[in-house]
mmCIF file of all heavy atoms in Angstrom:
data_model
loop_
_atom_site.group_PDB
_atom_site.id
_atom_site.type_symbol
_atom_site.label_atom_id
_atom_site.label_comp_id
_atom_site.label_asym_id
_atom_site.label_seq_id
_atom_site.Cartn_x
_atom_site.Cartn_y
_atom_site.Cartn_z
ATOM 1 N N ARG A 16 10.552 4.080 1.984
ATOM 2 C CA ARG A 16 10.663 4.957 3.161
ATOM 3 C C ARG A 16 11.602 4.407 4.199
ATOM 4 O O ARG A 16 12.166 5.147 4.998
ATOM 5 C CB ARG A 16 9.269 5.174 3.786
ATOM 6 C CG ARG A 16 8.396 6.150 3.007
ATOM 7 C CD ARG A 16 7.186 6.581 3.828
ATOM 8 N NE ARG A 16 6.494 7.710 3.229
ATOM 9 C CZ ARG A 16 5.383 7.611 2.505
ATOM 10 N NH1 ARG A 16 4.821 6.421 2.303
ATOM 11 N NH2 ARG A 16 4.816 8.684 1.999
ATOM 12 N N ARG A 17 11.784 3.083 4.219
ATOM 13 C CA ARG A 17 12.729 2.478 5.179
ATOM 14 C C ARG A 17 14.133 2.436 4.615
ATOM 15 O O ARG A 17 15.036 1.870 5.206
ATOM 16 C CB ARG A 17 12.268 1.061 5.564
ATOM 17 C CG ARG A 17 11.375 1.043 6.815
ATOM 18 C CD ARG A 17 10.043 1.613 6.499
ATOM 19 N NE ARG A 17 9.219 1.939 7.667
ATOM 20 C CZ ARG A 17 8.123 2.644 7.588
ATOM 21 N NH1 ARG A 17 7.702 3.090 6.426
ATOM 22 N NH2 ARG A 17 7.430 2.923 8.659
ATOM 23 N N GLY A 18 14.329 3.046 3.459
ATOM 24 C CA GLY A 18 15.683 3.199 2.932
ATOM 25 C C GLY A 18 16.150 2.082 2.055
ATOM 26 O O GLY A 18 17.393 1.941 1.835
ATOM 27 N N TRP A 19 15.251 1.318 1.456
ATOM 28 C CA TRP A 19 15.645 0.253 0.559
ATOM 29 C C TRP A 19 15.662 0.759 -0.896
ATOM 30 O O TRP A 19 14.660 1.324 -1.352
ATOM 31 C CB TRP A 19 14.695 -0.944 0.674
ATOM 32 C CG TRP A 19 14.775 -1.688 1.936
ATOM 33 C CD1 TRP A 19 13.989 -1.505 3.051
ATOM 34 C CD2 TRP A 19 15.669 -2.745 2.266
ATOM 35 N NE1 TRP A 19 14.347 -2.368 4.053
ATOM 36 C CE2 TRP A 19 15.398 -3.155 3.607
ATOM 37 C CE3 TRP A 19 16.696 -3.402 1.567
ATOM 38 C CZ2 TRP A 19 16.104 -4.191 4.223
ATOM 39 C CZ3 TRP A 19 17.397 -4.434 2.185
ATOM 40 C CH2 TRP A 19 17.094 -4.816 3.502
ATOM 41 N N ASP A 20 16.757 0.563 -1.594
ATOM 42 C CA ASP A 20 16.735 0.754 -3.048
ATOM 43 C C ASP A 20 15.804 -0.329 -3.605
ATOM 44 O O ASP A 20 16.077 -1.525 -3.501
ATOM 45 C CB ASP A 20 18.144 0.539 -3.619
ATOM 46 C CG ASP A 20 19.067 1.715 -3.334
ATOM 47 O OD1 ASP A 20 18.629 2.696 -2.713
ATOM 48 O OD2 ASP A 20 20.248 1.633 -3.714
ATOM 49 N N SER A 21 14.682 0.092 -4.192
ATOM 50 C CA SER A 21 13.602 -0.843 -4.516
ATOM 51 C C SER A 21 13.420 -0.971 -6.019
ATOM 52 O O SER A 21 13.285 0.028 -6.721
ATOM 53 C CB SER A 21 12.291 -0.353 -3.860
ATOM 54 O OG SER A 21 12.431 -0.300 -2.446
ATOM 55 N N TYR A 22 13.370 -2.199 -6.480
ATOM 56 C CA TYR A 22 13.216 -2.525 -7.895
ATOM 57 C C TYR A 22 11.948 -3.341 -8.066
ATOM 58 O O TYR A 22 11.850 -4.482 -7.610
ATOM 59 C CB TYR A 22 14.432 -3.338 -8.404
ATOM 60 C CG TYR A 22 15.706 -2.519 -8.479
ATOM 61 C CD1 TYR A 22 16.372 -2.107 -7.310
ATOM 62 C CD2 TYR A 22 16.238 -2.157 -9.706
ATOM 63 C CE1 TYR A 22 17.531 -1.356 -7.408
ATOM 64 C CE2 TYR A 22 17.403 -1.417 -9.792
ATOM 65 C CZ TYR A 22 18.061 -1.019 -8.644
ATOM 66 O OH TYR A 22 19.211 -0.260 -8.727
ATOM 67 N N ASN A 23 10.959 -2.758 -8.734
ATOM 68 C CA ASN A 23 9.640 -3.353 -8.891
ATOM 69 C C ASN A 23 9.468 -3.700 -10.370
ATOM 70 O O ASN A 23 9.642 -2.858 -11.256
ATOM 71 C CB ASN A 23 8.552 -2.353 -8.463
ATOM 72 C CG ASN A 23 7.196 -2.987 -8.328
ATOM 73 O OD1 ASN A 23 7.068 -4.176 -8.075
ATOM 74 N ND2 ASN A 23 6.164 -2.166 -8.489
ATOM 75 N N SER A 24 9.108 -4.952 -10.647
ATOM 76 C CA SER A 24 9.128 -5.437 -12.038
ATOM 77 C C SER A 24 7.781 -5.906 -12.532
ATOM 78 O O SER A 24 6.868 -6.238 -11.761
ATOM 79 C CB SER A 24 10.122 -6.608 -12.140
ATOM 80 O OG SER A 24 9.793 -7.639 -11.228
ATOM 81 N N ASP A 25 7.631 -5.851 -13.845
ATOM 82 C CA ASP A 25 6.561 -6.558 -14.585
ATOM 83 C C ASP A 25 7.250 -7.704 -15.293
ATOM 84 O O ASP A 25 8.070 -7.481 -16.182
ATOM 85 C CB ASP A 25 5.899 -5.637 -15.604
ATOM 86 C CG ASP A 25 5.089 -4.503 -14.995
ATOM 87 O OD1 ASP A 25 4.942 -4.486 -13.757
ATOM 88 O OD2 ASP A 25 4.600 -3.656 -15.742
ATOM 89 N N ALA A 26 6.899 -8.925 -14.941
ATOM 90 C CA ALA A 26 7.596 -10.090 -15.494
ATOM 91 C C ALA A 26 7.273 -10.280 -16.961
ATOM 92 O O ALA A 26 6.407 -9.613 -17.551
ATOM 93 C CB ALA A 26 7.205 -11.350 -14.710
ATOM 94 N N VAL A 27 7.980 -11.180 -17.588
ATOM 95 C CA VAL A 27 7.751 -11.543 -18.985
ATOM 96 C C VAL A 27 6.254 -11.747 -19.239
ATOM 97 O O VAL A 27 5.588 -12.376 -18.462
ATOM 98 C CB VAL A 27 8.521 -12.826 -19.352
ATOM 99 C CG1 VAL A 27 8.181 -13.316 -20.728
ATOM 100 C CG2 VAL A 27 10.028 -12.596 -19.238
ATOM 101 N N GLU A 28 5.750 -11.165 -20.359
ATOM 102 C CA GLU A 28 4.370 -11.271 -20.835
ATOM 103 C C GLU A 28 3.384 -10.439 -20.018
ATOM 104 O O GLU A 28 2.181 -10.450 -20.295
ATOM 105 C CB GLU A 28 3.860 -12.724 -20.880
ATOM 106 C CG GLU A 28 3.924 -13.284 -19.529
ATOM 107 C CD GLU A 28 2.971 -14.357 -19.067
ATOM 108 O OE1 GLU A 28 3.180 -15.496 -19.380
ATOM 109 O OE2 GLU A 28 2.063 -13.963 -18.330
ATOM 110 N N ARG A 29 3.838 -9.701 -19.008
ATOM 111 C CA ARG A 29 2.924 -8.926 -18.151
ATOM 112 C C ARG A 29 3.180 -7.414 -18.321
ATOM 113 O O ARG A 29 4.319 -6.976 -18.413
ATOM 114 C CB ARG A 29 3.107 -9.261 -16.678
ATOM 115 C CG ARG A 29 3.220 -10.739 -16.348
ATOM 116 C CD ARG A 29 1.927 -11.465 -16.361
ATOM 117 N NE ARG A 29 2.154 -12.870 -16.132
ATOM 118 C CZ ARG A 29 2.328 -13.419 -14.931
ATOM 119 N NH1 ARG A 29 2.290 -12.682 -13.870
ATOM 120 N NH2 ARG A 29 2.571 -14.723 -14.821
ATOM 121 N N GLY A 30 2.093 -6.637 -18.290
ATOM 122 C CA GLY A 30 2.188 -5.200 -18.171
ATOM 123 C C GLY A 30 3.160 -4.574 -19.171
ATOM 124 O O GLY A 30 3.138 -4.811 -20.358
ATOM 125 N N ARG A 31 4.082 -3.757 -18.653
ATOM 126 C CA ARG A 31 5.004 -3.003 -19.491
ATOM 127 C C ARG A 31 6.127 -3.840 -20.048
ATOM 128 O O ARG A 31 6.941 -3.347 -20.833
ATOM 129 C CB ARG A 31 5.524 -1.785 -18.725
ATOM 130 C CG ARG A 31 4.477 -0.688 -18.581
ATOM 131 C CD ARG A 31 4.942 0.459 -17.743
ATOM 132 N NE ARG A 31 4.947 0.104 -16.326
ATOM 133 C CZ ARG A 31 5.289 0.961 -15.359
ATOM 134 N NH1 ARG A 31 5.629 2.196 -15.668
ATOM 135 N NH2 ARG A 31 5.260 0.583 -14.098
ATOM 136 N N ALA A 32 6.217 -5.127 -19.670
ATOM 137 C CA ALA A 32 7.167 -6.016 -20.347
ATOM 138 C C ALA A 32 6.742 -6.260 -21.778
ATOM 139 O O ALA A 32 7.579 -6.574 -22.629
ATOM 140 C CB ALA A 32 7.269 -7.346 -19.588
ATOM 141 N N GLY A 33 5.446 -6.120 -22.062
ATOM 142 C CA GLY A 33 4.951 -6.286 -23.419
ATOM 143 C C GLY A 33 4.673 -7.745 -23.765
ATOM 144 O O GLY A 33 4.967 -8.648 -22.993
ATOM 145 N N PHE A 34 4.099 -7.930 -24.940
ATOM 146 C CA PHE A 34 3.753 -9.264 -25.391
ATOM 147 C C PHE A 34 4.701 -9.715 -26.504
ATOM 148 O O PHE A 34 5.681 -9.023 -26.812
ATOM 149 C CB PHE A 34 2.300 -9.312 -25.860
ATOM 150 C CG PHE A 34 1.304 -9.069 -24.759
ATOM 151 C CD1 PHE A 34 0.732 -7.822 -24.580
ATOM 152 C CD2 PHE A 34 0.979 -10.090 -23.885
ATOM 153 C CE1 PHE A 34 -0.157 -7.593 -23.543
ATOM 154 C CE2 PHE A 34 0.087 -9.872 -22.877
ATOM 155 C CZ PHE A 34 -0.509 -8.620 -22.685
ATOM 156 N N ALA A 35 4.432 -10.801 -27.115
ATOM 157 C CA ALA A 35 5.249 -11.344 -28.194
ATOM 158 C C ALA A 35 4.342 -11.716 -29.350
ATOM 159 O O ALA A 35 3.134 -11.911 -29.185
ATOM 160 C CB ALA A 35 6.026 -12.573 -27.718
ATOM 161 N N PRO A 36 4.895 -11.834 -30.568
ATOM 162 C CA PRO A 36 4.085 -12.256 -31.681
ATOM 163 C C PRO A 36 3.481 -13.638 -31.459
ATOM 164 O O PRO A 36 3.987 -14.437 -30.648
ATOM 165 C CB PRO A 36 5.077 -12.294 -32.862
ATOM 166 C CG PRO A 36 6.200 -11.437 -32.423
ATOM 167 C CD PRO A 36 6.285 -11.579 -30.949
ATOM 168 N N PRO A 37 2.383 -13.951 -32.106
ATOM 169 C CA PRO A 37 1.791 -15.279 -31.965
ATOM 170 C C PRO A 37 2.819 -16.375 -32.228
ATOM 171 O O PRO A 37 3.725 -16.197 -33.042
ATOM 172 C CB PRO A 37 0.697 -15.295 -33.039
ATOM 173 C CG PRO A 37 0.335 -13.864 -33.221
ATOM 174 C CD PRO A 37 1.614 -13.090 -33.022
ATOM 175 N N ASP A 38 2.696 -17.480 -31.546
ATOM 176 C CA ASP A 38 3.537 -18.643 -31.640
ATOM 177 C C ASP A 38 4.797 -18.576 -30.777
ATOM 178 O O ASP A 38 5.435 -19.603 -30.545
ATOM 179 C CB ASP A 38 3.961 -18.960 -33.084
ATOM 180 C CG ASP A 38 2.780 -19.106 -34.034
ATOM 181 O OD1 ASP A 38 1.702 -19.548 -33.535
ATOM 182 O OD2 ASP A 38 2.903 -18.766 -35.203
ATOM 183 N N VAL A 39 5.168 -17.378 -30.273
ATOM 184 C CA VAL A 39 6.315 -17.298 -29.373
ATOM 185 C C VAL A 39 5.930 -17.882 -28.029
ATOM 186 O O VAL A 39 6.669 -18.666 -27.429
ATOM 187 C CB VAL A 39 6.840 -15.865 -29.250
ATOM 188 C CG1 VAL A 39 7.947 -15.764 -28.158
ATOM 189 C CG2 VAL A 39 7.424 -15.416 -30.597
ATOM 190 N N PHE A 40 4.776 -17.431 -27.470
ATOM 191 C CA PHE A 40 4.212 -18.028 -26.274
ATOM 192 C C PHE A 40 3.275 -19.148 -26.724
ATOM 193 O O PHE A 40 2.263 -18.883 -27.372
ATOM 194 C CB PHE A 40 3.413 -17.030 -25.463
ATOM 195 C CG PHE A 40 4.204 -15.829 -24.979
ATOM 196 C CD1 PHE A 40 3.582 -14.626 -24.717
ATOM 197 C CD2 PHE A 40 5.576 -15.929 -24.729
ATOM 198 C CE1 PHE A 40 4.296 -13.513 -24.281
ATOM 199 C CE2 PHE A 40 6.292 -14.841 -24.279
ATOM 200 C CZ PHE A 40 5.652 -13.640 -24.039
ATOM 201 N N SER A 41 3.618 -20.363 -26.426
ATOM 202 C CA SER A 41 2.767 -21.490 -26.837
ATOM 203 C C SER A 41 1.516 -21.566 -25.970
ATOM 204 O O SER A 41 1.501 -21.125 -24.833
ATOM 205 C CB SER A 41 3.535 -22.807 -26.768
ATOM 206 O OG SER A 41 3.928 -23.071 -25.452
ATOM 207 N N GLY A 42 0.446 -22.086 -26.572
ATOM 208 C CA GLY A 42 -0.806 -22.228 -25.842
ATOM 209 C C GLY A 42 -1.577 -20.925 -25.829
ATOM 210 O O GLY A 42 -1.188 -19.919 -26.442
ATOM 211 N N GLU A 43 -2.686 -20.935 -25.109
ATOM 212 C CA GLU A 43 -3.546 -19.752 -25.031
ATOM 213 C C GLU A 43 -3.397 -19.096 -23.660
ATOM 214 O O GLU A 43 -3.182 -19.757 -22.653
ATOM 215 C CB GLU A 43 -5.010 -20.184 -25.223
ATOM 216 C CG GLU A 43 -5.325 -20.744 -26.581
ATOM 217 C CD GLU A 43 -5.252 -19.682 -27.663
ATOM 218 O OE1 GLU A 43 -5.591 -18.504 -27.353
ATOM 219 O OE2 GLU A 43 -4.820 -20.005 -28.781
ATOM 220 N N PRO A 44 -3.498 -17.752 -23.628
ATOM 221 C CA PRO A 44 -3.434 -17.096 -22.319
ATOM 222 C C PRO A 44 -4.680 -17.396 -21.481
ATOM 223 O O PRO A 44 -5.738 -17.725 -21.999
ATOM 224 C CB PRO A 44 -3.379 -15.615 -22.687
ATOM 225 C CG PRO A 44 -4.013 -15.546 -24.030
ATOM 226 C CD PRO A 44 -3.671 -16.832 -24.734
ATOM 227 N N VAL A 45 -4.512 -17.307 -20.179
ATOM 228 C CA VAL A 45 -5.612 -17.521 -19.240
ATOM 229 C C VAL A 45 -6.196 -16.187 -18.886
ATOM 230 O O VAL A 45 -5.488 -15.239 -18.494
ATOM 231 C CB VAL A 45 -5.076 -18.235 -17.984
ATOM 232 C CG1 VAL A 45 -6.180 -18.333 -16.924
ATOM 233 C CG2 VAL A 45 -4.533 -19.609 -18.311
ATOM 234 N N TYR A 46 -7.513 -16.048 -19.014
ATOM 235 C CA TYR A 46 -8.242 -14.840 -18.684
ATOM 236 C C TYR A 46 -9.211 -15.172 -17.523
ATOM 237 O O TYR A 46 -10.308 -15.685 -17.763
ATOM 238 C CB TYR A 46 -9.039 -14.323 -19.871
ATOM 239 C CG TYR A 46 -8.204 -13.854 -21.047
ATOM 240 C CD1 TYR A 46 -7.819 -14.765 -22.027
ATOM 241 C CD2 TYR A 46 -7.846 -12.531 -21.163
ATOM 242 C CE1 TYR A 46 -7.064 -14.328 -23.113
ATOM 243 C CE2 TYR A 46 -7.102 -12.093 -22.249
ATOM 244 C CZ TYR A 46 -6.719 -12.996 -23.237
ATOM 245 O OH TYR A 46 -5.974 -12.575 -24.316
ATOM 246 N N PRO A 47 -8.835 -14.899 -16.279
ATOM 247 C CA PRO A 47 -9.768 -15.235 -15.183
ATOM 248 C C PRO A 47 -10.974 -14.315 -15.193
ATOM 249 O O PRO A 47 -10.913 -13.153 -15.603
ATOM 250 C CB PRO A 47 -8.916 -15.000 -13.933
ATOM 251 C CG PRO A 47 -7.864 -14.035 -14.355
ATOM 252 C CD PRO A 47 -7.584 -14.318 -15.807
ATOM 253 N N SER A 48 -12.116 -14.844 -14.753
ATOM 254 C CA SER A 48 -13.324 -14.036 -14.643
ATOM 255 C C SER A 48 -13.240 -13.095 -13.462
ATOM 256 O O SER A 48 -12.332 -13.228 -12.583
ATOM 257 C CB SER A 48 -14.527 -14.969 -14.469
ATOM 258 O OG SER A 48 -14.479 -15.575 -13.191
ATOM 259 N N LYS A 49 -14.151 -12.201 -13.360
ATOM 260 C CA LYS A 49 -14.158 -11.241 -12.252
ATOM 261 C C LYS A 49 -14.308 -11.934 -10.913
ATOM 262 O O LYS A 49 -13.782 -11.485 -9.904
ATOM 263 C CB LYS A 49 -15.300 -10.209 -12.457
ATOM 264 C CG LYS A 49 -15.344 -9.165 -11.391
ATOM 265 C CD LYS A 49 -16.506 -8.177 -11.650
ATOM 266 C CE LYS A 49 -16.636 -7.208 -10.500
ATOM 267 N NZ LYS A 49 -17.774 -6.270 -10.682
ATOM 268 N N SER A 50 -15.006 -13.052 -10.879
ATOM 269 C CA SER A 50 -15.256 -13.745 -9.611
ATOM 270 C C SER A 50 -14.042 -14.548 -9.150
ATOM 271 O O SER A 50 -13.916 -14.883 -7.962
ATOM 272 C CB SER A 50 -16.452 -14.689 -9.750
ATOM 273 O OG SER A 50 -16.196 -15.718 -10.707
ATOM 274 N N ASP A 51 -13.130 -14.883 -10.074
ATOM 275 C CA ASP A 51 -12.044 -15.817 -9.772
ATOM 276 C C ASP A 51 -11.165 -15.352 -8.598
ATOM 277 O O ASP A 51 -10.951 -16.103 -7.657
ATOM 278 C CB ASP A 51 -11.215 -16.060 -11.040
ATOM 279 C CG ASP A 51 -10.052 -16.993 -10.807
ATOM 280 O OD1 ASP A 51 -10.253 -18.211 -10.962
ATOM 281 O OD2 ASP A 51 -8.962 -16.515 -10.467
#
């Protein structure tokens, strides 16, 4: 609304960026609990 051309992203491994096959991302993903 203030006139900025705005680019909003989902970073690598998040949301619509998608995931990768196993072994591409090393280690295990972190799943925080609801309280975190």
Side-chain angles (χ1 to χ4, degrees):
R16 284 194 168 101
R17 269 73 193 168
W19 291 95
D20 286 358
S21 300
Y22 289 71
N23 192 27
S24 56
D25 291 355
V27 172
E28 60 149 82
R29 316 282 176 83
R31 285 175 286 183
F34 294 99
D38 305 329
V39 172
F40 299 153
S41 62
E43 295 292 326
V45 174
Y46 295 88
S48 68
K49 182 181 175 182
S50 64
D51 180 89

